[in-house]
């Protein structure tokens, strides 16, 4: 079985795109819980969200300091391929404790605050706050 495209429909769609008119199908929209990992049903979603935020902070500091990957590797005490993985958001192989040490090496203090849980179940139980 072959798929065929109606040339008239294709031409109309191309014309609409050129005019800035975007034709789309209806899509279902779900409101996020605030944790994409939980929304995707991934295990350890709170931990993954926290690690992703820590990596974002590390990347932001490296970028602000205009360090290349070799310079960042030297500061963090790891090799360049691991810095590359970190910069691309690859979380495997990086424990939370290790990410804390990277932030320390970049001149940041890491503070862990324990407080009563908020009543809203939509708010994750673990979060990273930048001061």
């Amino acid at each position: 079985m072959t798929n065929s495209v109606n040339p008239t429909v294709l031409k109309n769609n191309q014309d609409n795109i050129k005019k800035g008119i975007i034709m789309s199908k209806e899509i279902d929209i779900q409101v996020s819980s605030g944790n994409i990992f939980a929304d995707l049903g991934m295990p350890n979603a709170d931990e993954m969200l926290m690690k992703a935020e820590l990596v974002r902070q590390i990347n932001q500091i490296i970028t602000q300091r205009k360090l290349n990957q070799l310079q960042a590797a030297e500061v963090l005490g790891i090799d360049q391929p691991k810095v590359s993985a970190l910069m691309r958001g690859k979380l495997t192989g990086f424990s939370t404790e290790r990410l804390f040490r990277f932030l320390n090496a970049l001149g940041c203090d890491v503070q862990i605050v324990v407080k009563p849980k908020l009543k809203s179940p939509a708010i994750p139980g673990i979060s990273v706050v930048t001061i």
Side-chain angles (χ1 to χ4, degrees):
M1 180 174 157
T2 61
N3 292 331
S4 62
V5 176
N6 181 330
T8 305
V9 171
L10 183 60
K11 174 78 170 105
N12 288 341
N13 284 340
Q14 289 170 340
D15 290 344
N16 285 336
I17 290 169
K18 287 177 186 173
K19 293 176 187 174
I21 300 171
I22 299 173
M23 305 299 288
S24 66
K25 296 180 183 178
E26 278 190 36
I27 57 171
D28 290 330
I29 298 174
Q30 281 187 321
V31 176
S32 173
S33 69
N35 183 337
I36 185 66
F37 302 106
D39 295 344
L40 294 173
M42 300 180 81
N44 304 317
D46 284 344
E47 180 183 2
M48 291 180 73
L49 180 63
M50 179 176 58
K51 286 169 69 173
E53 179 57 25
L54 292 170
V55 168
R56 189 188 70 77
Q57 294 290 329
I58 292 165
N59 285 336
Q60 184 177 14
I61 294 165
I62 289 170
T63 301
Q64 285 173 346
R65 292 188 182 177
K66 298 180 179 163
L67 300 175
N68 64 36
Q69 289 187 5
L70 285 174
Q71 292 166 326
E74 187 174 322
V75 170
L76 300 178
I78 58 177
D79 59 18
Q80 180 275 325
K82 285 189 177 80
V83 172
S84 177
L86 193 67
M87 300 290 285
R88 289 182 286 118
K90 302 291 183 186
L91 303 178
T92 45
F94 297 105
S95 67
T96 304
E97 294 81 12
R98 192 173 189 195
L99 296 173
F100 290 161
R101 286 194 304 271
F102 291 164
L103 285 163
N104 291 153
L106 290 165
C108 295
D109 287 330
V110 176
Q111 182 179 25
I112 299 170
V113 177
V114 178
K115 62 181 185 176
K117 183 167 178 60
L118 296 174
K119 293 182 185 200
S120 172
I123 298 173
I126 299 174
S127 61
V128 177
V129 178
T130 309
I131 298 176

